[in-house]
Structures are given as C-alpha cells and as structure tokens.
Amino acid sequence: MTERDKIIRYYRASGDADLAAKLIDLADGAARSRKYRVSDFLDPYGMTVAETVMAHYTDLKLETDGGYEGAERAKVAFVHDDFPGKIDFAITALQAKWDGKYYHLTHRDVLGSILGLGLKRDVFGDLLVSEGTAQIIIDTTMAPFVQQNLAKIGAAPVDTAVMALSDITGREEKVKEIPTTVAPLTLKTIAAAGFGLSRTKMAADIAADKLKVNWQSAKGPAQTITAGDVISMRGRGRLEVCEIIGQTRKGRMSVCLKRFY
C-alpha cells in the first residue's frame, strides 16, 4: 500500500478522503514542479489534514494565509524547499455595506446570500460582520463575480467594493463565559447547556447535522466531549470547553464554557 493510499484510508472513516486526496495531489504537484501549490480555503480541521499530508514529504514546507492575522479559515500552500519566490495565495477582500439604521444583518445572513449566488464554501474564507458592513475574504478569481452579483443581503440593498487586505479589521466577536454543571460529559448535555436549549431539542439538532465538534460533523448526541473541544452550531455560533473543573457532590461535572457569538 502506498503512502497516498494509507492517508486516504485513514481519513475515509471520517468522510474526509476526498479532501485528503485533493491535498495529496497539491503536494505531489509542488514536489514535481519544485515550486508551490495552493489549496482552497480550509477550516481548522482541514488544515490539520494538510499538516498530516505534508508530514509525508521531506522536501516541502507548509505555509498558510487567510487574508489577515488570526483568520479562522485559510488557504495552505505546499512549498518546495527550492522555491525562492513569493507565494501568491490569490486572496481578495471585499467590503459590502448597507444602511445599518434599517437593517440588522448577521453572519448567517451574509453567508446565506453568498451561497445563494451558487458559490461553494471553499472559495471564500472568513466573513467579518459588524454594524452596516461585512468584510468578505474570497478567492481572487471569484471576487469580480461576487462584486457584480451581490446586490442584496436578505432584504438589504448592498454596495460591494474591493478593499485592501491591510484594512481588514479582524473579528469582533462577543464572548460569554458560562460556568455550569452537566452529567454526563456528552455533546448533547454540554451543547444544550452552552446554547441554552433543551436536551431533547439539542438531540434533534444533532440528528439534523447542525453541530460540529472541532470542525467535524458530530458523531451523535452521546459523543464524549473533553477540555479544549470546540462545538459549533449552525446559526448559533460556537462554544469552547475551556475547563473541566471536577465532580460536584451530586455527581455532576463542573465545567467552564465560552460562547462566541
């Protein structure tokens, strides 16, 4: 069995064999050309897959760029050790503006409108939404299409223009710390406590594939959760399990969560 087959087989169980194969092809291309190859935008889990692939090549290094420092979604480049030049990650930033007095738009609204144009999620990176504006990090080849066709977000008319990457302001997330107790330490119980939903509703949302754990689809309501795990829920943001403090007298587990809006 080749190294390629081993990697793909490893990721087949989690449903990420296609992603692994694409990244292997990029790494092979960089090795053959002795230059570099750049991926689409990846989430943090996808970047760990890229790191696994890169570890099997002795003459390559991995570089990342999401358009600004601290980006959650980014492109990766497999770069040959002999390549002396600058890497073109082909990233452009667009700024969409609307009248914030009359329209309150969320990350979900912006994401839905862009996907509604027929784009796939891997051609754009982070969406940085604040009052009256959204900064859209996108593949350079797709920027003109979005600029020409993104006339509305929800019911709000928008004006979209190219902005300098150096002008990206970064994330403006609200964070709430949630100390709570749960039993047992499962996805259903922790997500229900963190997102403020009943366990019955949370189990239904997990079954509907609305939750991810560490950027992978949730395995089920009984999936074990540990300190450091990140739980994201479609339309509700994400939770970070900061600390598992210990067991209470009643046998429940005391945990500290952070919710990001």
Side-chain angles (χ1 to χ4, degrees), residues 148-163:
Q148 293 168 15
N149 291 281
L150 189 64
K152 281 189 173 184
I153 298 176
V158 299
D159 293 319
T160 306
V162 175
M163 63 180 293

Side-chain angles (χ1 to χ4, degrees), residues 34-254:
R34 306 179 76 83
K35 295 180 180 179
Y36 68 89
R37 294 289 186 272
V38 178
S39 74
D40 293 325
F41 283 97
L42 303 174
D43 61 22
Y45 174 72
M47 284 183 258
T48 66
V49 178
E51 290 170 356
T52 299
V53 171
M54 194 275 296
H56 290 78
Y57 294 82
T58 59
D59 53 356
L60 298 181
K61 60 183 177 180
L62 198 68
E63 297 195 16
T64 64
D65 192 345
Y68 69 102
E69 188 175 353
E72 181 174 276
R73 295 177 60 84
K75 293 185 176 187
V76 301
F78 295 96
V79 187
H80 197 277
D81 290 339
D82 292 342
F83 180 71
K86 183 179 179 181
I87 300 166
D88 180 10
F89 282 92
I91 295 175
T92 294
L94 298 175
Q95 185 173 57
K97 293 184 177 181
W98 60 88
D99 192 335
K101 294 181 181 179
Y102 300 103
Y103 301 97
H104 175 67
L105 301 179
T106 65
H107 182 279
R108 185 177 183 179
D109 296 322
V110 179
L111 176 61
S113 294
I114 296 175
L115 293 175
L117 297 177
L119 299 184
K120 294 182 178 180
R121 189 63 183 92
D122 57 10
V123 302
F124 57 99
D126 287 357
L127 304 175
L128 307 171
V129 182
S130 56
E131 191 67 32
T133 186
Q135 298 170 45
I136 303 165
I137 318 302
I138 191 165
D139 187 279
T140 298
T141 60
M142 299 307 302
F145 174 81
V146 173
Q147 187 177 356
Q148 293 168 15
N149 291 281
L150 189 64
K152 281 189 173 184
I153 298 176
V158 299
D159 293 319
T160 306
V162 175
M163 63 180 293
L165 294 178
S166 58
D167 290 338
I168 297 172
T169 56
R171 292 183 172 275
E172 297 181 7
E173 290 185 307
K174 296 179 181 179
V175 182
K176 179 181 179 181
E177 192 167 291
I178 304 172
T180 188
T181 62
V182 298
L185 288 171
T186 62
L187 174 59
K188 181 177 72 174
T189 59
I190 289 181
F195 291 116
L197 299 174
S198 70
R199 294 188 182 187
T200 301
K201 179 66 167 65
M202 183 54 63
D205 287 337
I206 294 170
D209 199 27
K210 292 184 179 181
L211 278 80
K212 291 187 175 183
V213 179
N214 299 327
W215 296 275
Q216 292 182 273
S217 293
K219 297 175 182 177
Q223 180 175 348
T224 300
I225 299 299
T226 60
D229 284 346
V230 176
I231 302 168
S232 53
M233 184 175 182
R234 194 187 311 158
R236 289 183 175 270
R238 70 184 191 276
L239 294 173
E240 180 182 344
V241 183
C242 301
E243 185 181 4
I244 298 175
I245 300 167
Q247 194 171 40
T248 68
R249 292 180 180 178
K250 294 184 179 180
R252 296 171 64 85
M253 296 301 296
S254 179

